[in-house]
């Protein structure tokens, strides 16, 4: 037996329900807590700026999937998997073609990446900023050394979540780079 993370495929929108059902089965003793060690729905923090206000919320960054830490025994794993398959909304394990096949774990690196991204383990927790900027928009810089300056968006870098804004400094157009969180539509 070896502890590994597995990805369980579920109907989109059923992630929370399936997670609660698995935890309930663990509490009742219907599923062995030595086999299912942890259940996680990967979430990420999304910051959205509307009307000059920052709103933060949690979004599923893998809709339709749940992470399970399992210590599957060599014999008897089929019983645990059969109980999971009977939960409404569960379609199967990622990487398995047939339900009769032993589930395939994800690599330790993949598991660490997913857990870090969702902030479930220490590391670089990523906050995704939902941008609503377009090239040519007039924005007001709300934070940083150029706070209170207004300018025109010239470039948008989605990967780095940065804007290139052309502002007037001493009467001359000057490009400055700001993050999505530092700018708001004027």
């Amino acid at each position: 037996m070896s502890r590994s993370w597995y990805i369980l495929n579920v109907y989109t929108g059923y992630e929370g329900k399936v997670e609660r059902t698995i935890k309930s089965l663990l509490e009742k003793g219907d599923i062995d807590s030595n086999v299912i060690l942890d259940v996680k729905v990967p979430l990420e923090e999304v910051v959205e700026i509307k009307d000059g206000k920052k709103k933060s919320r949690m979004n599923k960054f893998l809709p339709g999937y749940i992470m399970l830490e399992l210590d599957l025994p060599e014999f008897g794993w089929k019983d645990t998997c059969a109980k999971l398959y009977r939960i409404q909304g569960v379609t199967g394990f990622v990487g398995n073609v047939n339900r009769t096949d032993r589930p395939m774990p994800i690599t330790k690196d993949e598991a660490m990446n997913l857990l870090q991204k969702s902030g479930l383990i220490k590391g670089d927790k990523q906050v995704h900023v939902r941008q609503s900027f377009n090239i040519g928009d007039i924005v007001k810089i709300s934070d940083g050394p150029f706070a209170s300056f207004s300018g025109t968006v010239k470039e948008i870098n989605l990967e780095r979540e940065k804007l290139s804004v052309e502002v007037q400094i001493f009467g001359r157009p000057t490009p400055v780079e700001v993050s999505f969180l530092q700018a708001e539509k004027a």
Side-chain angles (χ1 to χ4, degrees):
M1 293 196 304
S2 63
R3 292 172 72 140
S4 296
W5 283 96
Y6 295 80
I7 304 292
L8 189 65
N9 193 350
V10 300
Y11 295 152
T12 304
Y14 277 66
E15 300 90 352
K17 182 179 179 183
V18 171
E19 178 188 29
R20 287 188 301 275
T21 303
I22 292 171
K23 287 182 177 180
S24 172
L25 291 171
L26 286 168
E27 287 173 11
K28 292 178 189 174
D30 292 341
I31 295 180
D32 189 1
S33 61
N34 294 323
V35 175
I36 297 181
L37 306 170
D38 204 356
V39 182
K40 305 257 188 234
V41 175
L43 301 171
E44 71 179 337
E45 185 178 4
V46 176
V47 176
E48 190 172 14
I49 302 170
K50 278 190 178 178
D51 301 327
K53 295 180 183 176
K54 294 178 190 173
K55 295 180 184 177
S56 179
R57 65 176 185 207
M58 299 304 281
N59 264 8
K60 297 175 197 118
F61 68 86
L62 288 176
Y65 298 97
I66 292 178
M67 293 180 69
L68 293 174
E69 186 177 18
L70 304 176
D71 193 1
L72 283 179
E74 199 60 41
F75 302 102
W77 62 267
K78 287 185 179 183
D79 182 47
T80 301
C81 291
K83 288 177 182 174
L84 290 172
Y85 290 140
R86 281 188 228 123
I87 298 172
Q88 182 182 4
V90 173
T91 60
F93 283 93
V94 170
N96 278 33
V97 177
N98 298 318
R99 288 186 170 199
T100 56
D101 294 340
R102 184 179 173 92
M104 300 295 296
I106 60 174
T107 65
K108 290 187 188 311
D109 290 338
E110 290 172 325
M112 288 305 215
N113 185 22
L114 291 172
L115 292 169
Q116 281 180 344
K117 187 175 179 182
S118 61
L120 297 171
I121 61 171
K122 290 184 180 178
D124 296 332
K125 182 178 178 186
Q126 297 176 356
V127 177
H128 177 69
V129 179
R130 190 170 190 196
Q131 72 92 11
S132 58
F133 301 106
N134 295 311
I135 293 176
D137 285 350
I138 305 295
V139 295
K140 180 180 178 191
I141 301 172
S142 60
D143 192 22
F146 299 102
S148 76
F149 279 78
S150 292
T152 306
V153 176
K154 293 297 180 186
E155 286 182 42
I156 301 170
N157 187 332
L158 295 175
E159 292 172 5
R160 293 182 51 223
E161 296 183 346
K162 300 270 185 184
L163 297 174
S164 178
V165 180
E166 189 175 89
V167 296
Q168 294 288 324
I169 299 177
F170 302 118
R172 294 182 176 211
T174 307
V176 295
E177 188 176 78
V178 296
S179 76
F180 289 169
L181 291 174
Q182 293 176 308
E184 55 188 57
K185 285 189 176 182

